[in-house]
């Protein structure tokens, strides 16, 4: 009898345990937990840290338990104190993932009770990007499943730090801009070498025909389909009438001439690329609303243009590893790049947080490496970094391009004379690949195939090295001593090359990463230390770096490719006065390697690094944090999204960039304060030899905060137009001016023309081009003076509207065309041609 009772008790307990897993009603319902977050204090205790607080509020009828749960969240700001208040602890999981757990002294929350948990993080918290996100809860009874916490509120950030950009600051900066009539603005962008209007307009309608040299058949087809899309009619295919001629002549590779007369349009070039850029300039002449609706005819102004790019390498890096972007989104980005004559898409498809291209022979790369979500053991999914949430497929944290998708992307790019350069991040930033190959290892090991299990393994299973990467990962570095690492990379490279061949797309180089391998990596790897002992060319752990890139260089050269990488691939770690230092490594300078150099942060000590590498013989793509990191916040303000570790970046930063002497216009430090000129004293300048090694310019949009297409377009535009101008246009007159007064005058004139072109021609075009872009509309500037409110905008041509009754301004609110005399509290917004509005500013007109 006792045995029967005991058995029944066990059955009852197990039944209740299973019931708690399947029926949330038997435990506290996480939907009834409200979480609030607030910034308590910045620069906490003068330590450069931010004191913050979570408040948990029980909105349910049951007690929120004192134990048996863990709350996970993402934070780009490292948590400093593990022991938070109220008996709770915050522990770093990996990357940007943290977990908050109750300790022994944590007490249950009764109905309507709350508890406040304070903690602090490293660095100032300036905007909403730095606020914790991606909250979800996991119950101990079901550790494999996470439940997203939808009831999460963030207290409004106000006066987070000194130097916040105010409406007055915006007004004073924008007051230097001249309002130039649209009729006086150049009609081709980026700025061409030679431009002259003739006054003889060409009427573009379906009666035109296209004549093209045999070499330019593909470009003729692109032009024909584009015009038919605008006119909604097929073009004339007979003889006679008006004509657009695509002519061949001896010119520089990407140069073109465009001549628009009353009876014809002629585009002349030596290559298809030159013809294509002439076509884009023809499109630039069309009215901004051309793409808004179909037209029976379009008027093209008479013009004579002679043009060629300053740099042959005009690149945009798009990070799809951190947050995936669909094939259709890439098509739209490629259309944008084509319009502004950019010719390289640097596709950052792999990183710690994701692998985004299908490699059919290694399915785990996308089965594991392309999916983020919560698991109990972290083996079948990557962790839900960057607010991906606990369930895979519910955010841009998951996703990949099939082989067919990628071939389609390559074909689309090739038609637009854009080369797609894939980047396989290695040996650091490789966690997605490492964990995917771990899954493959376990699969084959369980199948009793140990040799196959290790064929593509990317880590030393006995490695005890301790390190933390720039993004707080503790296990993201490949073991460069494993032959299987190079076997893996060759396999991926071979399959990528096959895709390019099938697409008919050019592939001259593959970017193999090379940045931010953290200190401590490989130090306690038995395989790495064994390699150092056995290879006479290796004396210490740092030498593994050159060993690795030497092998990669050999692999790529054997396949007819050259190696691209980040700057560290051309650097050597050493000691200077007993301290760690990085110097230029001449070892690979003559191997044709191309370096994308990002680190020129003002005040960090490497301001001249791009010039040092170019002077040493490396081909350099200027990719500066200071001017071209498009994911940085526009300026210092709580409502401006984006990172700010490398400074702030509005469209003036890429416009201001002087490729051969960027010291001259380095105006701010990373905190947004005036730069100290002393940091440039003694820095290397670019030699004439170094100038010959500057391959081009790149704008970069890292993906940590691109959790929607709207966020992508907000951070991308209009800043990308500054990159396009500086990459294509010749060196502006103001850049070479030595007299400071004259420099200022020339610069302000050029800046005024640029922002007028952007505001009156390019932004209205982008309202509709390629389906329309949701570019950032800048907030208004305002200054109360002598009883009047003076209002302006960064881009002349946009509309300013206001209300005085406390309501939000709409596209039908009162239009501002002169100083506002109405008194009181005014709300002001800037609007585009579609009625989209900027952030609202609130000002007093006393």
């Amino acid at each position: 009898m006792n045995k029967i009772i005991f058995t029944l008790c066990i059955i009852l307990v197990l039944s209740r345990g299973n019931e708690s897993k399947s029926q949330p009603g038997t435990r506290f319902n996480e939907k009834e937990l409200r979480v609030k977050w607030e910034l308590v204090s910045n620069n906490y205790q003068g330590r450069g840290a931010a004191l913050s607080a979570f408040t948990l509020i029980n909105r349910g009828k049951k007690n929120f338990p004192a134990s048996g749960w863990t709350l996970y969240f993402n934070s780009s700001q490292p948590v400093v104190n593990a022991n938070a208040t109220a008996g709770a602890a915050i522990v770093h999981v990996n990357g940007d993932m943290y977990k908050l757990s109750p300790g022994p002294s944590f007490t249950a929350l009764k109905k309507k009770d709350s508890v406040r948990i304070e903690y602090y993080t490293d660095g100032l918290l300036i905007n909403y990007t730095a606020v914790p996100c991606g909250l979800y809860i996991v119950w101990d009874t079901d550790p494999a499943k996470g439940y997203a916490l939808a009831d999460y509120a963030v207290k409004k950030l106000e006066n987070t730090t000194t130097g916040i950009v105010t409406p007055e600051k915006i007004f004073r900066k924008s007051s230097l801009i001249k309002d130039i009539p649209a009729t006086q603005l150049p009609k081709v962008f980026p700025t061409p070498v030679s431009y002259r209007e003739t006054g003889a307009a060409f009427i573009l309608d379906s009666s035109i025909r296209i004549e093209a040299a045999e070499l330019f058949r593909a470009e003729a087809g692109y032009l024909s389909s584009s015009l038919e899309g605008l006119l909604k009619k097929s073009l004339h295919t007979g003889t006679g009438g008006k004509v657009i001629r695509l002519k061949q002549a001896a010119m520089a590779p990407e140069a073109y001439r465009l001549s628009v007369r009353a009876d014809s349009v002629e585009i002349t070039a030596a290559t298809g690329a030159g013809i294509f850029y002439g076509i884009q300039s023809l499109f630039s002449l069309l009215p901004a609303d051309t793409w808004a609706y179909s037209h029976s005819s379009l008027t093209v102004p008479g013009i004579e243009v002679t043009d060629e790019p300053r740099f042959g390498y005009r690149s945009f890096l798009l990070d799809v590893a951190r947050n995936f972007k669909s094939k259709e989104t890439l098509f739209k980005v490629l259309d944008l790049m084509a319009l502004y004559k950019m010719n390289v898409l640097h596709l950052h498809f792999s990183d710690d947080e994701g692998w985004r291209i299908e490699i059919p022979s290694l399915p785990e790369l996308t089965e594991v490496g392309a999916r983020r979500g919560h698991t109990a053991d972290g083996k079948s999914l990557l962790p839900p970094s960057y607010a991906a949430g606990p369930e895979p497929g519910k955010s841009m944290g998951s996703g990949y391009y099939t082989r067919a998708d990628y071939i389609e992307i390559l074909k689309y790019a090739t038609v637009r004379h854009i080369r797609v350069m894939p980047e396989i991040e290695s040996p650091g930033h490789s966690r997605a690949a490492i964990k995917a190959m771990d899954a493959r290892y376990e699969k084959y090991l369980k199948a009793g195939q140990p040799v196959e299990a290790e064929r593509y393994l990317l880590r030393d299973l006995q490695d005890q090295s301790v390190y933390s990467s720039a993004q707080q990962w503790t296990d993201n570095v490949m073991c460069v001593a494993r032959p299987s690492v190079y076997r893996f990379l060759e396999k991926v490279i071979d399959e990528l090359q096959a895709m390019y061949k099938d697409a008919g797309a050019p592939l001259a180089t593959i970017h193999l990463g090379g940045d931010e391998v953290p200190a401590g990596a490989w130090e306690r790897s038995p395989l790495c230390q064994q390699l150092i002992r056995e290879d006479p060319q290796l004396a210490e752990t740092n030498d593994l770096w050159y060993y690795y890139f030497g092998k990669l260089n050999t692999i790529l050269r054997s396949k007819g490719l050259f190696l691209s990488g980040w700057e560290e691939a051309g650097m050597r770690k050493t000691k200077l006065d007993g301290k760690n230092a990085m110097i230029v490594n001449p070892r690979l300078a003559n191997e044709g390697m191309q370096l994308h150099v990002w680190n020129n942060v003002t005040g960090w000590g490497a301001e001249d690094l791009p010039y040092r590498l170019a002077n040493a013989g490396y081909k350099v793509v200027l990719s500066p944090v200071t001017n071209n990191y498009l994911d940085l916040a526009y300026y210092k303000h709580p409502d401006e999204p984006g990172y700010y570790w490398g400074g702030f970046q509005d469209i003036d930063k890429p416009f201001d960039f002087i490729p051969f002497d960027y010291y001259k216009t380095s105006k701010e430090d990373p905190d947004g304060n005036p730069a100290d000129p002393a940091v440039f004293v003694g820095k290397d300048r670019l030699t004439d030899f170094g100038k010959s090694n500057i391959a081009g310019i790149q704008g970069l949009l890292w993906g940590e905060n691109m959790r929607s297409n709207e966020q992508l377009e907000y951070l991308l535009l209009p800043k990308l137009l500054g990159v396009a101008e500086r990459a294509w246009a010749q060196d502006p007159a103001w850049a070479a001016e030595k007299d400071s007064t004259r420099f200022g005058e020339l610069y302000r004139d050029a800046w005024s023309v640029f922002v007028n072109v952007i505001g009156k021609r390019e932004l209205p075009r982008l309202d509709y081009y390629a389906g329309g872009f949701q570019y950032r509309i800048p907030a208004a500037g305002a200054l109360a003076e002598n009883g009047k409110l003076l209002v302006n905008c960064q881009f002349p041509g946009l509309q300013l509207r206001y209300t005085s009754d406390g309501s939000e301004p709409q596209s039908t609110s009162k239009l501002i065309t002169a100083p506002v005399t109405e008194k009181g509290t005014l709300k002001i917004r800037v609007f585009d041609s579609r009625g989209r509005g900027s952030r609202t500013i609130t000002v007093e007109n006393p």
Side-chain angles (χ1 to χ4, degrees):
M1 182 68 179
N2 288 338
K3 289 183 179 180
I4 295 174
I5 294 174
F6 181 67
T7 303
L8 287 173
C9 288
I10 292 175
I11 294 172
L12 182 61
V13 169
L14 291 175
S15 174
R16 286 178 175 173
N18 291 332
E19 185 181 19
S20 69
K21 290 184 180 181
S22 60
Q23 298 182 26
T26 63
R27 55 162 169 76
F28 185 86
N29 187 345
E30 60 279 345
K31 294 179 181 179
E32 296 175 339
L33 177 66
R34 172 173 291 173
V35 182
K36 292 184 177 181
W37 179 92
E38 65 178 296
L39 174 64
V40 180
S41 174
N42 244 338
N43 201 19
Y44 178 58
Q45 296 182 349
R47 292 187 280 184
L51 178 65
S52 303
F54 283 115
T55 300
L56 309 185
I57 306 168
N58 183 355
R59 296 174 55 247
K61 296 179 180 179
K62 292 185 177 182
N63 287 355
F64 179 70
S67 62
W69 56 269
T70 302
L71 191 156
Y72 289 82
F73 64 93
N74 304 99
S75 175
S76 61
Q77 308 286 100
V79 175
V80 178
N81 63 325
N83 295 317
T85 60
I90 295 177
V91 177
H92 180 231
V93 179
N94 213 343
D96 72 338
M97 291 294 303
Y98 288 85
K99 61 181 181 180
L100 185 158
S101 304
S105 62
F106 189 88
T107 57
L109 299 181
K110 296 179 181 179
K111 181 179 179 181
K112 296 185 179 180
D113 276 359
S114 64
V115 62
R116 179 184 172 93
I117 302 167
E118 293 187 348
Y119 67 100
Y120 62 91
T121 53
D122 188 31
L124 299 182
L125 198 153
I126 293 175
N127 62 21
Y128 288 101
T129 297
V131 172
C133 54
L135 277 66
Y136 67 92
I137 195 167
V138 174
W139 302 101
D140 290 2
T141 53
D142 192 5
K145 184 170 178 57
Y147 298 85
L149 297 178
D151 194 354
Y152 175 50
V154 174
K155 185 177 179 180
K156 183 175 175 62
L157 294 175
E158 295 181 304
N159 301 319
T160 52
T161 187
T162 58
I164 295 296
V165 172
T166 64
E168 181 178 343
K169 287 183 180 179
I170 296 172
F171 177 85
R172 293 192 184 280
K173 187 172 183 178
S174 297
S175 65
L176 301 175
I177 297 169
K178 301 174 185 176
D179 190 350
I180 303 171
T183 56
Q184 297 177 22
L185 296 173
K187 296 181 175 62
V188 172
F189 180 84
T191 303
V193 173
S194 172
Y195 172 93
R196 181 175 66 87
E197 294 188 31
T198 65
F202 178 84
I203 304 303
L204 183 62
D205 57 31
S206 60
S207 68
I208 66 164
R209 58 190 174 87
I210 298 173
E211 292 181 0
E214 182 64 23
L215 181 64
F216 305 140
R217 288 182 62 185
E219 289 70 31
Y222 168 84
L223 175 60
S224 177
S225 63
S226 297
L227 293 178
E228 289 176 353
L230 295 174
L231 299 170
K232 302 301 180 187
K233 289 183 180 179
S234 298
L235 300 184
H236 182 56
T237 56
T239 59
K242 294 176 293 184
V243 63
I244 298 178
R245 295 189 180 89
L246 309 182
K247 300 172 61 177
Q248 186 176 4
M251 300 177 74
E254 295 182 295
Y256 70 91
R257 287 194 300 270
L258 170 63
S259 178
V260 178
R261 307 183 184 93
D263 61 345
S264 67
V265 173
E266 286 189 356
I267 303 173
T268 306
T271 65
I275 291 292
F276 185 81
Y277 299 136
I279 291 171
Q280 301 312 307
S281 290
L282 176 64
F283 291 163
S284 187
L285 296 172
L286 298 176
D289 66 353
T290 295
W291 289 267
Y293 49 88
S294 60
H295 303 261
S296 59
S297 65
L298 294 163
T299 300
V300 184
I303 197 172
E304 297 285 341
V305 172
T306 302
D307 200 9
E308 63 179 306
R310 182 181 184 188
F311 294 105
Y313 196 97
R314 305 176 301 281
S315 176
F316 169 56
L317 178 147
L318 182 62
D319 174 7
V320 298
R322 269 60 176 267
N323 278 298
F324 180 68
K325 296 295 172 286
S326 70
K327 176 179 64 177
E328 291 72 24
T329 298
L330 257 61
F331 290 163
K332 193 174 181 182
V333 168
L334 288 166
D335 282 333
L336 181 72
M337 292 176 64
L339 180 64
Y340 296 114
K341 307 181 178 79
M342 302 187 77
N343 65 353
V344 179
L345 174 63
H346 178 162
L347 193 64
H348 186 87
F349 77 84
S350 72
D351 212 297
D352 298 317
E353 301 85 2
W355 180 285
R356 306 302 185 185
I357 295 178
E358 178 190 26
I359 304 298
S361 64
L362 299 172
E364 295 84 4
L365 284 171
T366 45
E367 291 172 353
V368 175
R371 301 170 71 231
R372 296 211 295 260
H374 179 81
T375 62
D377 58 10
K379 292 184 177 181
S380 59
L381 299 172
L382 299 182
S385 305
Y386 307 123
E391 294 187 53
K394 294 294 181 83
S395 73
M396 289 185 170
S398 299
Y400 67 93
Y401 308 112
T402 66
R403 188 180 192 277
D405 287 338
Y406 194 59
I407 289 172
E408 194 176 348
I409 290 166
L410 294 175
K411 289 180 177 179
Y412 198 89
T414 302
V415 167
R416 289 152 182 78
H417 290 273
I418 295 171
R419 305 187 301 275
V420 180
M421 181 183 68
E423 180 181 353
I424 308 168
E425 265 284 24
S426 71
H429 282 279
S430 298
R431 192 177 189 277
I434 291 169
K435 293 304 170 184
M437 293 301 95
D438 278 357
R440 183 185 186 279
Y441 169 80
E442 292 199 9
K443 179 178 72 175
Y444 282 103
L445 205 61
K446 289 177 181 177
Q449 302 179 51
V451 174
E452 186 61 32
E454 293 197 22
R455 184 176 301 278
Y456 299 111
L457 190 63
L458 299 179
R459 66 184 178 95
D460 180 354
L461 298 175
Q462 306 304 317
D463 191 357
Q464 298 297 312
S465 301
V466 177
Y467 57 84
S468 179
S469 75
Q471 289 76 27
Q472 306 181 69
W473 294 104
T474 60
D475 55 354
N476 73 336
V477 182
M478 294 179 179
C479 175
V480 298
R482 287 198 73 97
S484 54
V485 166
Y486 306 98
R487 192 179 301 121
F488 167 83
L489 289 170
E490 278 211 76
K491 168 62 71 174
V492 173
I493 290 167
D494 287 344
E495 295 215 15
L496 286 173
Q497 276 194 298
M499 294 181 211
Y500 279 78
K501 182 178 179 180
D502 290 353
L507 180 65
T509 183
I510 291 178
H511 195 296
L512 288 170
D515 65 323
E516 297 184 327
V517 170
W522 305 320
E523 292 283 357
R524 296 169 62 185
S525 161
L527 290 178
C528 287
Q529 296 308 310
Q530 179 183 349
L531 177 62
I532 293 170
R533 289 192 300 270
E534 295 176 352
D535 191 324
Q537 296 185 0
L538 304 178
E540 59 173 348
T541 302
N542 286 335
D543 293 342
L544 292 170
W545 188 253
Y546 330 120
Y547 170 87
Y548 178 71
F549 274 98
K551 290 182 73 69
L552 294 190
N553 189 51
T554 300
I555 289 171
L556 286 182
R557 287 169 71 92
S558 72
K559 300 177 186 299
L561 304 171
F562 67 86
L563 175 61
S564 290
W566 297 109
E567 65 241 34
E568 290 97 324
M571 303 295 290
R572 184 177 187 89
K573 294 179 181 180
T574 185
K575 297 280 187 182
L576 179 64
D577 297 329
K579 297 180 180 179
N580 291 329
M582 294 276 284
I583 62 171
V584 173
N585 179 13
R587 183 172 170 180
L588 296 174
N590 298 319
E591 295 288 328
M593 183 187 293
Q594 181 169 281
L595 299 178
H596 296 240
V597 188
W598 62 266
N599 186 6
N600 71 327
V601 182
T602 305
W604 283 17
E607 292 83 359
D608 60 352
L609 183 56
Y611 293 166
R612 282 192 281 140
L613 286 163
N615 290 343
Y618 284 101
K619 295 299 180 184
V620 168
V621 176
L622 297 169
S623 311
V625 171
T626 54
N627 297 78
N628 287 5
Y629 262 42
L630 309 182
D631 60 298
L632 297 180
Y634 278 85
Y635 50 65
K636 188 185 286 189
H637 192 282
D639 292 326
E640 282 297 340
Y643 282 151
Y644 46 84
W645 63 269
F648 300 88
Q649 199 164 114
D650 204 337
I651 192 174
D652 60 329
K653 292 289 183 67
F655 177 83
D656 290 355
F657 187 63
I658 302 175
F660 293 167
D661 187 14
Y662 56 76
Y663 306 158
K664 191 171 184 177
T665 50
S666 294
K667 298 180 291 189
E668 289 184 353
D669 67 14
D671 293 325
N673 301 317
D676 181 1
V679 302
F680 300 106
V681 174
K683 297 299 181 184
D684 286 7
R685 300 183 67 83
L686 190 63
T687 65
D688 287 347
F689 172 70
K691 290 176 184 177
S692 70
N693 288 318
I694 301 296
I697 296 177
Q698 177 166 258
L700 306 92
L701 188 60
W702 297 103
E704 293 94 333
N705 301 305
M706 292 193 304
R707 296 165 197 164
S708 68
N709 288 335
E710 291 76 16
Q711 288 174 316
L712 183 157
E713 293 178 7
Y714 184 97
L715 291 168
L716 177 63
L717 292 166
K719 286 189 275 193
L720 185 68
L721 277 61
V723 178
E725 170 72 3
R726 203 50 63 229
W728 179 276
Q730 303 304 303
D731 201 22
W734 55 265
E737 181 57 53
K738 298 189 183 323
D739 180 79
S740 60
T741 301
R742 182 61 179 155
F743 171 87
E745 293 171 351
L746 291 173
Y747 172 82
R748 284 190 292 273
D749 287 345
W751 174 243
S752 291
V753 171
F754 176 75
V755 293
N756 272 268
V757 166
I758 300 303
K760 295 179 180 178
R761 293 190 59 79
E762 298 312 314
L763 294 185
R765 189 188 320 278
L766 293 176
D767 284 337
Y768 305 104
Y769 182 79
F773 290 85
Q774 298 188 61
Y775 53 81
R776 173 185 180 265
I777 302 173
L783 174 66
E785 188 174 80
N786 300 324
K788 297 179 180 179
L789 189 67
L790 308 179
V791 185
N792 64 13
C793 174
Q794 183 183 43
F795 297 120
L798 299 180
Q799 292 186 342
L800 297 104
R801 296 181 180 272
Y802 80 101
T803 58
S804 55
D805 60 0
S807 64
E808 284 293 302
Q810 304 298 323
S811 59
T812 54
S813 298
K814 288 177 277 191
L815 182 67
I816 300 174
T817 58
V820 179
T821 58
E822 193 169 347
K823 306 298 182 184
T825 302
L826 306 181
K827 290 189 172 185
I828 304 167
R829 293 177 77 194
V830 182
F831 290 89
D832 70 4
S833 66
R834 291 174 291 179
R836 287 194 315 121
S838 69
R839 173 171 59 83
T840 299
I841 65 166
T842 303
V843 294
E844 296 292 330
N845 191 21

